[in-house]
Amino acid sequence: MAHREFRWLPHDGGRHAIPASLVVGDVAKTLCGRELAVPHDPPTKSEWCWPTCLACDASWREREGILPFPRPATSHRVVAKRAVARR
């Protein structure tokens, strides 16, 4: 499994991306720029259901080389057309 530079942590009503190297008590900024301290207690199940911070998600995807989400509908059509053309 590939090592990821960032991980997700619920904070302030959303799930934010933080450096993977942070440990309990570390203070740092999320990818969207919010400051937080890594809590001692793990997030609750309901906190993991908070919405993903769109700014963190966009920054994380850019850094990981992952296409934005949701992907444009045209990208699916192009792939489907190429698959049909290969047959």
Side-chain angles (χ1 to χ4, degrees):
M1 186 169 172
H3 170 74
R4 297 284 189 185
E5 188 177 348
F6 298 94
R7 63 185 172 102
W8 295 89
L9 182 70
H11 173 70
D12 198 23
R15 291 181 296 127
H16 296 272
I18 62 170
S21 61
L22 295 180
V23 296
V24 171
D26 284 349
V27 176
K29 288 192 176 187
T30 64
L31 287 181
C32 71
R34 292 181 187 220
E35 189 169 294
L36 65 77
V38 178
H40 181 270
D41 295 328
T44 65
K45 288 181 181 180
S46 64
E47 289 172 332
W48 281 115
C49 293
W50 289 348
T52 299
C53 170
L54 297 177
C56 281
D57 185 64
S59 181
W60 171 74
R61 288 174 182 278
E62 183 179 322
R63 292 169 186 239
E64 293 282 336
I66 301 170
L67 291 175
F69 189 83
R71 291 173 182 74
T74 56
S75 66
H76 296 297
R77 290 185 194 133
V78 170
V79 171
K81 286 180 183 178
R82 287 182 188 153
V84 170
R86 290 181 187 152
R87 291 182 187 170

